[in-house]
Amino acid sequence: MERLDKVLANMGVGTRKEVKQLIKKGEVSVRGMVAQRADLKIDPEADELWVGGKKIVYKKHIYLMLNKPEGVISATFDPRHRTVCDLVPEEFAHFKPFPVGRLDIDTRGLLILTNDGKLAHELLSPKKHVPKTYFAKLDKEICKEDIDAFEKGIVLDDGYKTLPARLEEGEGGVYVTIYEGKFHQVKRMFNQVGKNVTYLKRIKMGNLTLDPALSKGEVRELTKEELDCLWTL
Ligand code: URA
């Protein structure tokens, strides 16, 4: 059971103070009765809530897709740079979503944000080997040996040998799929075969593909189908 004012504030109805005012004015009803107190204990999953003639559809978790632009940091707060959370519109921000994993400041593309720690854990667990596909531009052409080397696993500068990765030629760049998420992994893998990454964009995570209609910096909620495909990895 939770306090009525807290639930309504979490659903984005207003600040705690605004919600209290609405309750005082008799604008809020719970299970068909006008609520008298802000501290009324309710079951948000079961109790029907109305505010000013509008039904409040309760949800606990939010799942967002962001097309991350370069220049923003994958964190909830940073003293110097804009973060991915700064790009989340107010209608979703009150759920306090956080990024699932990290993309470098100069990496673009698919980033999931959620307030569901369980999904984040599933996607980031090193045991799960969730595939992540990137489109990269390099300063040199790749060759057959590079594809084979990625397929075998690359020994990084710190001695760690990556899991086998898939490298393919694409139009104007290459596609690379990795099954783990070491620090700067894609850039470091290419460095080991003598190439520099000049552009990096994540286009897929698990079965979820970046929506090509989502412009840079744009955020939208995942559809039910997209969410289902993330849970069933
Ligand atoms: N690999 C990198 O080098 N950078 C990223 O942002 C993601 C994967």
Side-chain angles (χ1 to χ4, degrees):
M1 302 293 269
E2 287 184 62
R3 278 178 66 121
L4 174 61
D5 56 351
K6 184 168 172 235
V7 171
L8 291 177
N10 287 346
M11 297 314 297
V13 169
T15 61
R16 278 290 262 279
K17 202 169 153 197
E18 286 162 352
V19 167
K20 281 186 179 141
Q21 289 296 326
L22 288 168
I23 295 169
K24 247 194 202 145
K25 283 198 223 147
E27 300 262 349
V28 177
S29 74
V30 180
R31 291 187 303 269
M33 294 214 304
V34 174
Q36 306 291 343
R37 305 169 57 129
D39 64 356
L40 180 70
K41 289 285 193 298
I42 62 156
D43 175 356
E45 311 262 358
D47 294 339
E48 200 173 290
L49 300 174
W50 289 72
V51 176
K54 209 172 136 211
K55 190 172 173 183
I56 303 299
V57 181
Y58 177 79
K59 62 179 165 189
K60 191 170 179 179
H61 291 133
I62 189 95
Y63 304 93
L64 304 171
M65 174 190 289
L66 164 69
N67 182 0
K68 180 193 172 296
E70 63 277 33
V72 298
I73 290 214
S74 302
T76 47
F77 171 77
D78 188 88
R80 281 184 303 137
H81 292 96
R82 278 211 307 161
T83 73
V84 289
C85 290
D86 296 331
L87 301 173
V88 175
E90 190 43 49
E91 61 176 307
F92 306 128
H94 61 84
F95 286 97
K96 303 204 166 49
F98 55 85
V100 177
R102 258 183 281 162
L103 291 176
D104 298 337
I105 188 164
D106 56 351
T107 303
R108 304 131 169 96
L110 176 63
L111 191 66
I112 298 162
L113 293 106
T114 184
N115 58 354
D116 185 346
K118 206 159 159 238
L119 180 69
H121 183 262
E122 286 284 305
L123 292 173
L124 297 175
S125 163
K127 287 189 219 118
K128 294 266 167 166
H129 305 315
V130 172
K132 288 163 280 260
T133 302
Y134 296 82
F135 175 74
K137 291 183 191 171
L138 308 169
D139 62 348
K140 294 186 201 87
E141 302 260 301
I142 57 161
C143 55
K144 173 82 172 61
E145 286 74 44
D146 298 333
I147 295 173
D148 293 343
F150 272 56
E151 184 59 48
K152 287 202 191 90
I154 299 270
V155 178
L156 297 177
D157 45 4
D158 59 3
Y160 175 80
K161 183 166 186 224
T162 71
L163 289 172
R166 202 184 153 94
L167 177 58
E168 289 164 282
E169 275 190 82
E171 208 163 297
V174 298
Y175 292 97
V176 56
T177 303
I178 58 172
Y179 296 84
E180 56 210 321
K182 301 286 168 207
F183 186 61
H184 297 330
Q185 183 166 337
V186 172
K187 293 172 186 164
R188 287 163 70 207
M189 288 173 84
F190 280 110
N191 284 343
Q192 294 303 95
V193 295
K195 275 126 199 133
N196 286 313
V197 173
T198 57
Y199 174 100
L200 192 59
K201 181 176 186 176
R202 182 155 68 192
I203 53 169
K204 206 166 170 197
M205 185 160 180
N207 297 319
L208 181 70
T209 305
L210 176 66
D211 179 351
L214 206 61
S215 49
K216 257 193 200 181
E218 209 183 336
V219 174
R220 72 154 167 81
E221 255 185 290
L222 293 186
T223 63
K224 188 170 174 317
E225 291 71 33
E226 287 172 334
L227 191 56
D228 286 348
C229 81
L230 275 185
W231 276 114
T232 52
L233 281 169

